[in-house]
Amino acid sequence: MEADVVRSEMVLPPVMPFKRVQMGDKYQKGQSRGRYWKHLKQLLQAENFISLPLDEPNYLNIESPPSMYPSKKYCDITGFEAPYVDPRTKLRYADPEVFKRVRNLPNDHVQRYLALRNAAVIIR
Amino acid sequence: MGEIRIARQSDYDLFSPTTPIVIDNGGSTFRIGWAGESDPRIMFRNVAFRPRHRSTGETVTVVGEHDPALFKYFDCTRSSWRSPFDNNVVYQFEIMEYVLDYGFDRLGASSSMAGKVDHPILMTECICNPVYSRAKMAELLFETYGVPSVAFGVDAAFSYKYNQNLGICAEDGIALSIGFMTTHSIPILKGEPLPEGSCRTNVGGYHVTNYLKEVLSLKYPYHAPSITWEKAEELKREHCYVAPDYPSELQIFKKETKEAEEKKWVWQLPWVPPPQEELPSEEELARKAAIKEKQGQRLREMAAAKRSQKITDLENELHVLETLLSQLDEAELPEVASSILARSGYLSRQEIESAHSRVSQSLRKARGEPAVTVEENTDTATSADKYPLVSIPDEMLTPGQLKEKKRQIFLKTTSEGRLRAKQKRAEEEMMRERQNQLEEGRRLENPELYLEELRAKYKELSEKIDQRKRLKTNGNGNGNGNGTGNGNNVSGGTGRGERLNAAQRERMRLLTTALFDKGKGEDTFGLKDEDWQLYKLMSKDTDDDDDDVVDPDEAELERVAAKLQEFDPSFVGRAEAELMQSTQEPPRPRALTAEDYQVVLGVERFRCPEVLFQPGMIGEYQAGIDEIVSHSLRRLPNLDSSIKDRMCQSIIVTGGGSLLPGLEQRLETGIRATRPYLSPLKIVRAVDSVMDAWRGASVYAASELFSTQTFSLEDYNEKGEDWLKRYNIVYSLYD
């Protein structure tokens, strides 16, 4: 290890004296551990909240309902109020100058703007 | 995030095993310290990173933030910063273990000989944490770290309690905690949180920063690499604010008033102005001119040498041929002549003569003398004797001679045709020359008017061509959509009111006859080869575009464009104009100024925090943080409205996301809109939104009754998961 890396102690040592089981023993090298951990969605499915009484609060219960205010539409590029939508790219825009910019956007920018609004069509 | 304390603590051993360690396990920051102290000892970003060390090749782990310069020793491309959280729940316990390792190590645990972390742990979690996550966390602490006992608590509740003890808020109130990925509204009754009334919306500080980063990167794609996550956080921290009324704030900026100018903030990126090119001095210019002149001279000499070489070669050849001819002349006997011919390689005397004339002509050209067109003479002179048989009528010839005659007729007509074509071309040339000269004259005498005329003509022509193109594509669009298959829709093209040109009408005719021509007798379509040519005629692809005849209008346009380009400095061709419009970046030749390296934060300053109030802006169809308070109160139907009123007078805003200026004012407007008219409302910010959760937990863990709230490994094993699900601490231990 280089001197300044050692000095900064940024790397975790493989053996920690306050642990009963060390990382190296727990997680064998080479095994892909990414798939081992359940993501939140899977966790919640496993919890099976439906079988629980409804009035008891649980992780899903306390989630907020949709907003009671209708969502305002804002221009994707400038942020002002956007009464118009470009039919080709589905981006919202505020006025004709912005529209010109919208039409001249490269495709990946269009997708990123839509993704910002969670409106991009993802083709897997 | 203020200072990040990562110096290893040295007093770990001074604490007895009964002193709890308090951990605020937050989505953005991990804080660890000793119970009873006012500040956590260690704070760092709750992320881990597993790069490969370049020189040794092993994969190492790095937790939290470090000096970016040190990362050059690692291959950081394959891995990324991972967080143990998914939303606000811990799911990745391997990363969690790395984080805990680092936290304990920096707290000084490595100096202890105990072989385990021999202190009770109080850790924060989110409200209604799924039991799986809780269980796994408990398991990790018990089994890997050997912790004797564990307690879990909600960070927002600790923060509320701390502020309550400071007198900021009352016993009954609402804790609005704006976290990293989520925001919770938790009603507090008699100092205890009511989970059944709490409400969570999935927007937090992360979404604000991410939105800012994305919007700026898209607006300034050239500077996208400089707009990192850390920079975006810094910009958010320093310059973002919450608009008291979003629509009117937008209007200020839309109208571009002076106020808007003042509110804009400009981030000047470092840039280096390009070095000024010094104008070459006089002697430089002179020197360059001299060099160029010399080069020109050298080239001219070389050309002259080559030319003289060529001339001598040709002369030699001519000489040879002449001697040959004279030899032939002198040869008396035919055998001698034929032997000479055989030796020279030419078949006949005529050939030699023609070769001779050719060479002499090229010699003359090389010398620069006008070429004498010998061709004409030969043509006119020999038309009669070249085609002797043509004039003789057919009856007098033998079959062999007839064939010969046919060939001669053919040759004669082709050569005459060629002559005529050449003449026509010469005439056209002359005409064009004359026209050019006329135009030149006109231009010279009145340049302005000439340019005007040219421009007008250009515009007219380009419009005509555009219109024709548009008609064609419109007609094609209709035709292609309707023409195939269905006979009913064939008339769709004409119904649109566009006149079909002759080609299109022909195509329609073919299609209809092809379609309707069924069953009339036998279908003999494919028997002859020519039938398939029908498709070629029908096909749109071999349309006018491939015509050999160049569109006269387009040719004219080209000519006018060329002229304009030559004479008019402000002329921009159509193709170039389109190109300039479509590129985002300024055309390169323009020098880059300081302004190009500026990132202007105007609307973005308050647009990004607005995400908290209108999650619809990022596609989350949930309530904003002001609305969840009303949802949260609505979920407590059994409570008296007087209690709710009392709660609303004690709303605490806590959590890292609450540091935005203008937040409380906006929250007040928002919440007031959901409450009954004139009901009391008071919103305060926590004393230290970021640290109060840890501080509250620290105070809690330091109290004597803390040990009654913890559970140990035996408890966990005996009582099982069900019990763990219902486990909740009592927050009011000390009253």
Side-chain angles (χ1 to χ4, degrees):
Chain A
M1 286 278 167
E2 294 78 357
D4 34 358
V5 169
V6 171
R7 219 175 324 121
S8 71
E9 292 184 309
M10 60 192 275
V11 171
L12 281 182
V15 172
M16 301 290 235
F18 50 83
K19 289 177 78 170
R20 283 215 196 127
V21 185
Q22 300 301 328
M23 283 304 251
D25 305 324
K26 204 192 254 197
Y27 299 106
Q28 303 299 326
K29 230 169 85 149
Q31 273 177 2
S32 127
R33 278 105 72 178
R35 260 175 270 256
Y36 175 67
W37 300 109
K38 289 195 196 163
H39 285 261
L40 184 62
K41 269 209 194 116
Q42 295 157 307
L43 270 185
L44 296 175
Q45 275 176 345
E47 292 274 317
N48 206 3
F49 291 120
I50 309 178
S51 63
L52 295 175
L54 281 174
D55 47 0
E56 261 180 37
N58 54 53
Y59 190 80
L60 286 184
N61 263 356
I62 62 174
E63 181 120 351
S64 151
S67 171
M68 60 183 170
Y69 302 113
S71 66
K72 282 252 167 63
K73 310 209 177 340
Y74 297 106
C75 171
D76 286 311
I77 302 192
T78 56
F80 299 123
E81 291 235 5
Y84 320 108
V85 176
D86 173 16
R88 199 191 287 173
T89 55
K90 305 278 179 293
L91 287 175
R92 298 183 183 148
Y93 63 96
D95 48 34
E97 292 83 51
V98 184
F99 180 64
K100 251 188 240 149
R101 281 167 63 185
V102 164
R103 272 293 157 92
N104 289 332
L105 280 178
N107 189 40
D108 65 317
H109 279 50
V110 169
Q111 293 307 312
R112 279 169 70 183
Y113 272 119
L114 289 175
L116 210 52
R117 243 199 306 137
N118 220 6
V121 178
I122 304 172
I123 304 167
R124 291 203 194 277
Chain B
M1 248 326 345
E3 357 146 5
I4 304 213
R5 290 166 243 209
I6 50 174
R8 186 177 287 111
Q9 307 297 304
S10 47
D11 55 353
Y12 185 87
D13 287 329
L14 300 178
F15 289 91
S16 82
T18 52
T19 319
I21 294 179
V22 176
I23 298 178
D24 177 9
N25 189 19
S28 74
T29 323
F30 182 91
R31 295 181 197 94
I32 186 170
W34 296 103
E37 297 193 354
S38 61
D39 279 320
R41 294 291 184 96
I42 313 286
M43 295 200 308
F44 52 88
R45 278 208 57 206
N46 205 337
V47 284
F49 183 43
R50 305 208 75 219
R52 214 171 51 88
H53 190 226
R54 280 190 218 270
S55 36
T56 58
E58 56 173 311
T59 311
V60 297
T61 316
V62 181
V63 176
E65 282 170 351
H66 292 273
D67 184 4
L70 292 173
F71 282 106
K72 62 176 185 271
Y73 296 115
F74 300 94
D75 172 21
C76 305
T77 51
R78 293 271 186 79
S79 44
S80 59
W81 289 96
R82 313 268 317 274
S83 164
F85 285 91
D86 182 354
N87 211 29
N88 57 348
V89 171
V90 179
Y91 83 108
Q92 233 278 23
F93 286 92
E94 183 189 342
I95 308 257
M96 193 70 240
E97 197 173 328
Y98 289 130
V99 170
L100 283 169
D101 278 354
Y102 187 73
F104 285 135
D105 171 61
R106 286 298 193 270
L107 194 62
S110 302
S111 61
S112 135
M113 291 295 123
K116 54 182 177 164
V117 178
D118 199 13
H119 298 266
I121 302 259
L122 171 60
M123 193 181 257
T124 58
E125 57 172 17
C126 63
I127 193 162
C128 299
N129 195 17
V131 69
Y132 179 84
S133 175
R134 219 184 225 184
K136 271 264 178 279
M137 182 70 89
E139 225 175 84
L140 179 67
L141 289 172
F142 287 136
E143 292 179 12
T144 309
Y145 295 100
V147 169
S149 58
V150 167
F152 292 113
V154 176
D155 49 353
F158 285 132
S159 178
Y160 190 90
K161 211 71 191 137
Y162 186 73
N163 280 278
Q164 182 191 341
N165 290 341
L166 287 179
I168 312 273
C169 48
E171 196 183 42
D172 303 330
I174 298 178
L176 184 61
S177 164
I178 307 179
F180 189 55
M181 297 286 278
T182 55
T183 301
H184 288 86
S185 154
I186 303 173
I188 311 266
L189 193 61
K190 298 213 194 326
E192 299 297 317
L194 301 174
E196 58 269 20
S198 50
C199 185
R200 175 189 74 243
T201 180
N202 296 329
V203 278
Y206 163 81
H207 300 100
V208 178
T209 313
N210 192 44
Y211 196 69
L212 179 65
K213 178 172 179 283
E214 275 300 299
V215 163
L216 285 181
S217 303
L218 285 166
K219 194 164 152 194
Y220 299 96
Y222 192 59
H223 301 304
S226 318
I227 304 173
T228 61
W229 175 266
E230 284 75 23
K231 186 67 195 177
E233 275 199 342
E234 189 191 311
L235 288 171
K236 173 184 85 163
R237 237 194 333 242
E238 291 174 20
H239 303 287
C240 281
Y241 66 94
V242 179
D245 180 30
Y246 195 61
S248 42
E249 198 81 9
L250 279 181
Q251 281 297 88
I252 294 178
F253 276 82
K254 195 150 178 148
K255 297 216 174 73
E256 295 191 14
T257 60
K258 196 154 136 330
E259 199 184 334
E261 275 308 306
E262 288 166 14
K263 289 197 176 179
K264 271 193 207 165
W265 189 78
V266 173
W267 169 32
Q268 175 74 47
L269 282 152
W271 78 295
V272 177
Q276 275 285 346
E277 274 193 28
E278 295 148 21
L279 294 163
S281 60
E282 279 294 323
E283 49 181 64
E284 278 279 332
L285 283 168
R287 202 154 49 86
K288 283 211 185 103
I291 293 177
K292 237 189 277 185
E293 181 62 35
K294 230 192 313 184
Q295 281 178 336
Q297 185 71 10
R298 216 180 314 149
L299 282 171
R300 273 194 293 268
E301 283 170 15
M302 284 200 321
K306 229 194 291 187
R307 205 160 35 133
S308 56
Q309 178 69 21
K310 190 167 163 201
I311 288 176
T312 39
D313 282 341
L314 284 172
E315 278 178 357
N316 286 343
E317 212 182 310
L318 202 63
H319 191 67
V320 163
L321 284 171
E322 278 173 3
T323 43
L324 206 57
L325 276 174
S326 55
Q327 271 182 355
L328 275 176
D329 286 337
E330 286 169 18
E332 286 142 7
L333 302 168
E335 300 90 31
V336 182
S338 52
S339 70
I340 297 176
L341 277 172
R343 252 183 303 142
S344 69
Y346 288 103
L347 288 176
S348 73
R349 188 207 166 77
Q350 272 173 318
E351 253 194 68
I352 300 180
E353 280 180 353
S354 57
H356 177 275
S357 63
R358 238 194 358 250
V359 169
S360 56
Q361 206 170 351
S362 40
L363 183 62
R364 260 187 234 114
K365 217 181 345 184
R367 285 214 192 105
E369 295 160 25
V372 176
T373 46
V374 189
E375 314 258 355
E376 293 176 2
N377 299 341
T378 45
D379 269 0
T380 50
T382 60
S383 67
D385 38 309
K386 254 205 202 164
Y387 311 116
L389 298 174
V390 174
S391 33
I392 307 173
D394 287 343
E395 305 89 37
M396 310 207 318
L397 295 170
T398 65
Q401 278 179 324
L402 268 172
K403 233 196 292 190
E404 184 61 34
K405 177 180 177 188
K406 264 203 216 128
R407 196 178 70 87
Q408 284 177 357
I409 293 177
F410 176 70
L411 280 174
K412 182 171 175 198
T413 42
T414 46
S415 66
E416 278 178 4
R418 237 182 290 138
L419 247 186
R420 269 200 302 271
K422 218 188 331 170
Q423 276 174 345
K424 201 156 61 142
R425 266 202 302 266
E427 272 177 30
E428 278 183 1
E429 274 296 322
M430 295 234 300
M431 254 196 22
R432 227 175 290 159
E433 265 306 309
R434 243 179 289 140
Q435 256 188 343
N436 277 352
Q437 283 175 349
L438 270 175
E439 274 198 45
E440 269 302 306
R442 264 213 330 259
R443 176 176 90 84
L444 287 171
E445 67 182 35
N446 194 353
E448 275 302 318
L449 192 60
Y450 180 71
L451 275 179
E452 278 305 313
E453 284 177 7
L454 266 188
R455 274 195 222 119
K457 207 182 335 174
Y458 182 79
K459 202 163 117 189
E460 197 186 305
L461 280 172
S462 64
E463 271 179 20
K464 198 152 71 157
I465 291 186
D466 274 339
Q467 198 183 28
R468 193 141 20 102
K469 263 207 210 122
R470 234 180 296 141
L471 271 180
K472 214 180 339 164
T473 51
N474 270 344
N476 277 359
N478 283 339
N480 269 335
N482 302 334
T484 51
N486 266 325
N488 304 335
N489 293 339
V490 160
S491 61
T494 32
R496 275 293 212 90
E498 281 152 339
R499 272 173 280 133
L500 302 169
N501 63 22
Q504 282 176 319
R505 258 179 284 152
E506 176 65 20
R507 184 169 170 272
M508 284 302 177
R509 193 186 63 80
L510 280 171
L511 283 174
T512 46
T513 48
L515 285 168
F516 287 127
D517 213 5
K518 312 183 233 221
K520 293 217 182 126
E522 286 170 31
D523 187 5
T524 60
F525 180 66
L527 292 180
K528 293 180 287 186
D529 275 335
E530 296 90 47
D531 292 341
W532 300 109
Q533 302 298 330
L534 191 66
Y535 284 107
K536 197 151 156 238
L537 288 169
M538 276 204 250
S539 153
K540 275 288 183 178
D541 296 330
T542 60
D543 211 3
D544 317 335
D545 301 335
D546 306 354
D547 274 347
D548 289 334
V549 180
V550 175
D551 188 9
D553 279 335
E554 285 196 353
E556 182 70 21
L557 187 68
E558 283 296 318
R559 221 173 45 80
V560 177
K563 279 230 157 49
L564 271 175
Q565 202 118 33
E566 226 185 291
F567 301 132
D568 187 359
S570 65
F571 176 68
V572 177
R574 275 180 340 147
E576 285 173 30
E578 282 169 16
L579 201 61
M580 273 187 6
Q581 266 180 9
S582 60
T583 49
Q584 285 269 33
E585 303 165 8
R588 278 298 147 204
R590 196 190 74 174
L592 295 172
T593 65
E595 283 189 349
D596 292 323
Y597 280 82
Q598 286 174 349
V599 170
V600 180
L601 293 177
V603 180
E604 290 76 21
R605 281 184 73 189
F606 61 93
R607 182 180 170 194
C608 301
E610 190 64 21
V611 169
L612 293 173
F613 292 90
Q614 299 188 44
M617 283 169 74
I618 53 170
E620 287 274 348
Y621 294 104
Q622 295 195 311
I625 60 178
D626 47 357
E627 219 184 307
I628 57 171
V629 174
S630 77
H631 284 307
S632 151
L633 287 174
R634 230 170 353 148
R635 285 182 180 167
L636 299 167
N638 302 330
L639 278 189
D640 209 16
S641 67
S642 62
I643 305 184
K644 289 189 187 167
D645 280 352
R646 221 175 29 238
M647 278 182 174
C648 285
Q649 282 178 296
S650 167
I651 301 182
I652 281 267
V653 183
T654 176
S658 65
L659 294 171
L660 293 161
L663 184 80
E664 294 129 64
Q665 192 189 353
R666 179 62 189 276
L667 271 175
E668 194 176 321
T669 347
I671 296 177
R672 199 178 282 287
T674 64
R675 294 291 298 146
Y677 183 58
L678 290 182
S679 70
L681 193 62
K682 185 162 143 234
I683 301 178
V684 245
R685 198 183 277 178
V687 166
D688 185 338
S689 318
V690 170
M691 300 294 249
D692 280 354
W694 190 90
R695 291 191 180 127
S698 167
V699 168
Y700 184 83
S703 83
E704 293 159 354
L705 297 171
F706 172 62
S707 46
T708 60
Q709 302 298 311
T710 61
F711 61 95
S712 67
L713 182 58
E714 294 78 35
D715 291 330
Y716 175 47
N717 287 333
E718 278 173 21
K719 299 174 192 173
E721 195 178 280
D722 240 10
W723 169 86
L724 191 64
K725 209 184 289 192
R726 274 184 275 278
Y727 162 82
N728 267 315
I729 59 173
V730 174
Y731 291 82
S732 305
L733 285 183
Y734 42 96
D735 263 323

